[in-house]
Amino acid sequence: MKDLIKFIAQALVDYPDQVQVKEVEGEQTSVIELKVAKEDLGKVIGKQGRTARAMRTILSAASTKIRKRAVLEIIE
Amino acid sequence: MEFLEFEGKTTEEAIQHACEYYQVSPEKLEIEIVTVGSPGIFGLGSRKARVRVTRREEAEPDLKSLGQELLEKFLEKMGECGKVSGHQEDDRLYLSIDTEEAGLLIGKQGQTLEALQYLLTKMLVKKSRRKVRLAIDIESYRARHQQNLSQLALRYGEKVKKSGRPVTLNPMNPHDRRIIHLTLQDDKDLKTMSRGEGLYKKVVIYPARKKELQGANPGLA
């Protein structure tokens, strides 16, 4: 899951090397924390949160498959 | 591979010409210097610099293979395996996914497919630095979906005509709304309008009044 978010985020931002993804695994739910350069924050959130929402949709589809839940958090 | 030669007073100038020709930055080009230019004295014995140039492999602006590759990688990261085929029509790129788990990738009301398409478009725009119009399809879901929507539009259209009262449909994204509008645009007895704010608006179908039809805008009719 971590890889997936990293892959998406890096393809969207201006500073791919500053993309950091951390996965905090819980029993059923894991939290994926995404951190990008300050200038890129808007790019991963998108107009009215559209990009962030799309990433969350993809994430939940991908995690259904492995019967887990994943939550994406974008960290400032 | 195709090489082209460019000239200039100096090698820098020659390279610059090449960049202008290909419309890319120098690092995207494979450059080989044929002759170094020399300014000569009083215009005598001056030699032009020549460079041989070709585009670097990765700079190739083939949107189709770029899109295919990116989408396949995307699916792989999602833990899916799927084959992607594509074709390009004018400025539109169509990608089609062949997978065993179509339902999962399409998602509830096409949500996942929508997200996938949106993100991939953004990625491609970023990579190719151009405007990209992309449509992703899985097992001709799009065609089916479109058919369902126009049937829905026609069904509600009939209802409005019978009852003479407007009907409001569920919130839809711009693409879906467009289908509704287009389906009913030729029907002189009905009018459609989008209501609401933001990405997801509701389409209202209402009966066109006789007066409006005869009076107001003959130019629009």
Side-chain angles (χ1 to χ4, degrees):
Chain A
M1 291 306 109
K2 203 172 127 188
D3 274 359
L4 173 65
I5 291 300
K6 195 167 186 177
F7 167 74
I8 300 172
Q10 281 186 330
L12 297 174
V13 299
D14 286 334
Y15 304 98
D17 50 325
Q18 285 188 49
V19 172
Q20 287 172 34
V21 185
K22 224 167 76 185
E23 187 166 4
V24 185
E25 273 190 72
E27 217 161 276
Q28 286 189 329
T29 315
S30 57
V31 179
I32 310 223
E33 296 180 343
L34 170 65
K35 213 169 162 181
V36 296
K38 216 174 157 193
E39 298 87 337
D40 284 331
L41 203 57
K43 294 214 175 59
V44 290
I45 295 175
K47 200 159 137 198
Q48 292 186 342
R50 197 173 170 191
T51 312
R53 194 167 57 221
M55 280 200 281
R56 292 195 172 110
T57 309
I58 295 291
L59 189 63
S60 51
S63 50
T64 321
K65 206 180 169 186
I66 52 169
R67 288 167 203 283
K68 268 196 113 179
R69 282 166 58 99
V71 187
L72 173 67
E73 296 210 355
I74 295 167
I75 294 177
E76 248 178 281
Chain B
M1 190 165 299
E2 202 183 324
F3 278 91
L4 282 176
E5 291 200 356
F6 293 87
E7 284 185 345
K9 283 195 193 110
T10 59
T11 45
E12 284 81 18
E13 201 185 274
I15 291 167
Q16 203 189 325
H17 286 156
C19 293
E20 277 163 16
Y21 178 81
Y22 284 110
Q23 299 268 306
V24 293
S25 55
E27 53 269 24
K28 294 262 164 76
L29 294 173
E30 200 81 59
I31 298 164
E32 188 188 321
I33 294 166
V34 184
T35 52
V36 184
S38 70
I41 303 156
F42 303 122
L44 285 171
S46 73
R47 252 191 357 221
K48 278 196 170 161
R50 286 179 80 83
V51 290
R52 290 177 91 194
V53 172
T54 189
R55 239 173 210 281
R56 283 235 165 103
E57 205 70 37
E58 74 264 18
E60 221 166 71
D62 183 359
L63 211 56
K64 196 184 114 188
S65 43
L66 191 67
Q68 250 170 297
E69 215 172 278
L70 207 57
L71 184 53
E72 255 167 24
K73 207 162 163 201
F74 201 133
L75 295 176
E76 188 196 306
K77 296 265 178 197
M78 281 181 79
E80 297 288 329
C81 38
K83 273 225 165 333
V84 179
S85 54
H87 71 277
Q88 213 164 347
E89 234 170 70
D90 300 327
D91 63 336
R92 280 200 95 107
L93 176 63
Y94 295 88
L95 294 176
S96 167
I97 305 173
D98 187 18
T99 175
E100 281 175 11
E101 283 177 274
L104 187 80
L105 281 178
I106 293 169
K108 212 166 76 194
Q109 286 166 20
Q111 264 179 13
T112 311
L113 183 60
E114 206 58 48
L116 200 61
Q117 176 174 302
Y118 173 76
L119 287 174
L120 205 75
T121 310
K122 286 221 136 189
M123 289 172 171
L124 280 177
V125 166
K126 182 96 200 150
K127 279 232 158 103
S128 65
R129 291 189 199 148
R130 298 191 280 183
K131 201 176 149 198
V132 177
R133 289 165 66 101
L134 169 72
I136 302 181
D137 201 359
I138 302 173
E139 287 180 351
S140 57
Y141 169 78
R142 294 231 173 254
R144 255 180 13 235
H145 184 57
Q146 186 159 354
Q147 211 177 355
N148 286 344
L149 279 174
S150 11
Q151 269 165 8
L152 178 108
L154 293 173
R155 211 165 56 233
Y156 277 103
E158 283 307 311
K159 209 171 154 188
V160 170
K161 277 191 217 169
K162 259 189 203 156
S163 68
R165 290 170 159 234
V167 168
T168 308
L169 305 180
N170 288 333
M172 291 178 200
N173 66 29
H175 175 257
D176 291 358
R177 286 203 305 274
R178 199 178 123 84
I179 294 168
I180 304 282
H181 288 305
L182 287 177
T183 312
L184 296 178
Q185 74 173 357
D186 290 330
D187 198 325
K188 291 275 185 291
D189 299 328
L190 295 173
K191 286 200 165 188
T192 54
M193 204 194 238
S194 296
R195 275 265 166 82
E197 291 278 308
L199 198 61
Y200 292 87
K201 298 191 179 90
K202 296 172 180 172
V203 176
V204 187
I205 306 173
Y206 57 98
R209 292 217 190 94
K210 286 272 145 55
K211 266 184 202 166
E212 277 178 27
L213 262 176
Q214 293 161 353
N217 305 312
L220 276 173

